[in-house]
Amino acid sequence: MSDLKQNFIAGEWVAGAGVTRNVNPSNTDDVIAEYTQADATQAQQAIAAAKAAAPKWARSTPQERYDALKKISDEILARKEELGRLLSREEGKTLPEGIGEVTRAGQIFAFFAGEALRLRGDKLPSVRPNIDVEITREPVGVVGIITPWNFPIAIPAWKIAPALCYGNAVVFKPADLVPGSAHALSDIIARSGLPKGVFNLVMGRGSVVGETFLTHRDVNAITFTGSVATGRKVAAACVGRMAKFQLEMGGKNPLVVLDDADLKVAVECAANGGFFSTGQRCTASSRLIVTSGIHDAFVAALTERLKGLVVDDACKAGTQMGPVVDQSQLDQDLSYIKIGQDEGATLATGGELVKRDTPGFYLTPALFVNSTNDMRIAREEIFGPVANVIRAKDYDEALALANDTEFGLATGICTTSLKYASHFKRNAEAGMVMVNLPTAGVDYHVPFGGTKGSSYGSREQGTYAAEFYTTVKTAYTLP
Ligand code: NAD
């Protein structure tokens, strides 16, 4: 196949040492394109280019940063249908979800374009006479960005946009499975007027390109989203050389449904939160903790709702759930379905491989009932269209079960009681709490992140992103 998609380094499009194919999970006969793969030497060249460009970009004006970020936002939004289709074709989320994600990426760049005009510091009187104190935020330098496959454009956007906004140079390594959206975004960024070397795309293996970022002394900070296992490697490498880092990792997010919940709202929250985007969201509601009075009605209604979900080609009109992203994720989902059955949980619906017009990784949404919170299906992140229902006797037990997890990304409750909603917001152990809303689905202008094993370091997105992408300097002057 011709038209090899290349890496972008020091302002030039360049081929790497290898090639990878981007395959459509809805139709494995459909190869979207071929993408180059960097080796460690090329990753080092990208880091050198970023290092060389960083000082000048650190001194760029707010207007220059605004202009570049706004231009990127405008083009993403103008092409959201086309880019959304590419995203759905390579990742497998439905077309409305793909277009929605692209829209969000455009909005994020617009938000940080505005933030570039609002850079500020503090000037204070000293506690000593005649001295002025100034507190300013400075760029950290070269930021290494490593992203997962499940949000191929939104996660790159929410890391690249603030990095550039706060005056950093970027080396960006997207996930191997979804180079298409990353490449299209990089092409837009490449034409935004940024000086050469400020932004670099380095597609390639995590163990090669990612490792080079982690271990290179000229990468001043690493922002990572992905699995816990890789996150631990990132942490160990960064601590070893005292580099700044930020991790967003897995979840095992609970949705509590109380007896007084609106049943329709609760079923919709569970169906959306657990199964939209094929359950492949770090914020997916994979544990449904339901109090006894509503348990049976909830299980019956959710089972019906899931049986009716249309599972088909992600880009086909009417599809409500696309395929699983690839064979290895499908194997993981199927293995957990077997584990759940072996552990004694009952599969109420789904978990079956189904055939469609094209060869793809089609799995029906799986719901376990009669499960307990100590089962592996309730403790480990599956990252597929699989959720389990756990019965609780009352609110107190439901809250305790919800918090009994190593993760702490998102949590939710469905209730019509202000008392329980308020108590839950205060006592739920998670970075994001939802009341009568799915655990997945967040705004782009407010902080995103979790507690416990889900996250490490400062929050992403909104004005809170400044914590990671800047370093604080305190200057004292005796005039
Ligand atoms: P992954 O950890 O396999 O890969 C993430 C990225 O790390 C990829 O770009 C990969 O190439 C790279 N990588 C792999 N090995 C590396 C190494 N040794 N050194 C440096 N980089 C390396 O994760 P994934 O399968 O792409 O994504 C799924 C995971 O991401 C799930 O656990 C999910 O919960 C998590 N996730 C979390 C959030 C969040 O914000 N909390 C959002 C989306 C996804």
Side-chain angles (χ1 to χ4, degrees):
M1 189 181 284
S2 59
D3 190 25
L4 177 71
K5 306 284 185 193
Q6 297 180 319
N7 280 327
F8 186 67
I9 295 171
E12 309 292 334
W13 290 100
V14 288
V19 172
T20 184
R21 292 185 142 199
N22 188 4
V23 175
N24 178 351
S26 300
N27 177 6
T28 52
D29 291 338
D30 175 27
V31 177
I32 296 161
E34 288 186 335
Y35 295 79
T36 204
Q37 295 267 286
D39 57 10
T41 305
Q42 194 171 56
Q44 287 158 5
Q45 287 163 357
I47 294 165
K51 188 187 179 194
K56 190 159 174 243
W57 185 244
R59 292 190 302 273
S60 59
T61 63
Q63 189 65 46
E64 287 170 278
R65 298 181 197 180
Y66 172 88
D67 289 345
L69 293 166
K70 182 68 168 52
K71 194 160 183 239
I72 296 165
S73 167
D74 289 347
E75 183 167 344
I76 293 171
L77 292 173
R79 293 172 53 198
K80 66 182 181 190
E81 311 274 335
E82 169 214 339
L83 295 171
R85 186 168 288 277
L86 170 65
L87 194 162
S88 294
R89 195 172 152 211
E90 72 173 347
E91 198 273 349
K93 61 183 67 174
T94 66
L95 195 51
E97 289 171 330
I99 295 169
E101 186 183 328
V102 170
T103 305
R104 179 177 178 173
Q107 290 165 331
I108 288 167
F109 274 96
F111 176 86
F112 283 105
E115 285 300 282
L117 299 176
R118 286 187 283 270
L119 299 175
R120 53 191 291 276
D122 288 316
K123 188 164 188 212
L124 290 77
S126 170
V127 292
R128 292 172 283 163
N130 301 326
I131 293 176
D132 283 335
V133 182
E134 287 162 338
I135 302 166
T136 50
R137 284 194 175 273
E138 303 195 338
V140 289
V142 175
V143 176
I145 295 178
I146 303 177
T147 56
W149 52 263
N150 65 328
F151 283 93
I153 196 164
I155 292 180
W158 84 49
K159 294 179 187 297
I160 295 168
L164 297 174
C165 166
Y166 296 112
N168 302 285
V170 166
V171 285
F172 165 43
K173 192 211 97 63
D176 311 0
L177 276 177
V178 289
S181 299
H183 190 276
L185 173 63
S186 300
D187 174 51
I188 293 171
I189 296 173
R191 290 181 283 98
S192 66
L194 288 173
K196 284 179 197 270
V198 170
F199 171 81
N200 303 275
L201 167 71
V202 200
M203 297 178 288
R205 305 287 307 167
S207 55
V208 178
V209 174
E211 289 275 353
T212 306
F213 286 9
L214 300 188
T215 50
H216 201 297
R217 66 176 183 183
D218 291 335
V219 178
N220 304 100
I222 296 277
T223 175
F224 167 85
T225 301
S227 63
V228 174
T230 313
R232 284 186 204 282
K233 290 186 194 165
V234 174
C238 289
V239 167
R241 64 180 183 88
M242 302 290 183
K244 194 172 187 180
F245 67 101
Q246 172 188 61
L247 312 173
E248 289 298 345
M249 300 168 289
K252 196 70 199 175
N253 311 287
L255 176 71
V256 169
V257 178
L258 296 186
D259 287 357
D260 67 12
D262 179 318
L263 184 61
K264 267 198 183 145
V265 169
V267 168
E268 226 23 63
C269 285
N272 175 324
F275 300 93
F276 286 15
S277 298
T278 321
Q280 299 173 148
R281 292 188 283 192
C282 48
T283 48
S285 325
S286 48
R287 289 187 300 141
L288 308 172
I289 300 166
V290 186
T291 50
S292 289
I294 198 170
H295 178 277
D296 293 356
F298 173 82
V299 166
L302 181 59
T303 302
E304 277 319 295
R305 176 78 173 89
L306 297 180
K307 279 184 176 159
L309 271 188
V310 179
V311 179
D312 208 331
D313 187 316
C315 292
K316 203 165 165 177
T319 295
Q320 293 171 306
M321 196 181 99
V324 171
V325 72
D326 73 348
Q327 185 65 51
S328 120
Q329 183 61 50
L330 183 64
D331 291 344
Q332 177 164 315
D333 297 347
L334 292 171
S335 108
Y336 272 107
I337 289 166
K338 175 150 188 334
I339 289 168
Q341 287 169 318
D342 291 348
E343 285 178 312
T346 313
L347 193 55
T349 181
E352 288 155 359
L353 288 177
V354 284
K355 286 203 185 313
R356 295 295 179 251
D357 294 345
T358 49
F361 307 109
Y362 298 109
L363 179 66
T364 55
L367 184 69
F368 278 108
V369 295
N370 298 325
S371 60
T372 57
N373 204 43
D374 55 0
M375 292 178 175
R376 283 183 63 193
I377 53 165
R379 303 215 73 84
E380 297 169 18
E381 184 181 53
I382 300 172
F383 219 54
V386 187
N388 63 295
V389 178
I390 301 167
R391 189 190 285 267
K393 67 174 187 299
D394 55 17
Y395 168 74
D396 290 336
E397 190 184 36
L399 174 65
L401 287 166
N403 287 341
D404 178 12
T405 169
E406 284 167 26
F407 295 104
L409 189 56
T411 186
I413 189 166
C414 291
T415 178
T416 50
S417 153
L418 182 60
K419 179 179 126 186
Y420 289 132
S422 305
H423 188 274
F424 190 79
K425 277 190 279 184
R426 279 195 211 105
N427 294 285
E429 295 168 2
M432 296 175 287
V433 186
M434 312 290 178
V435 177
N436 295 320
L437 287 165
T439 54
V442 294
D443 286 2
Y444 65 86
H445 68 307
V446 290
F448 178 98
T451 60
K452 301 200 274 189
S454 289
S455 303
Y456 190 94
S458 53
R459 288 283 182 269
E460 301 202 75
Q461 300 194 62
T463 53
Y464 287 66
E467 281 305 318
F468 182 74
Y469 294 97
T470 62
T471 181
V472 172
K473 180 177 276 177
T474 312
Y476 296 85
T477 309
L478 178 62

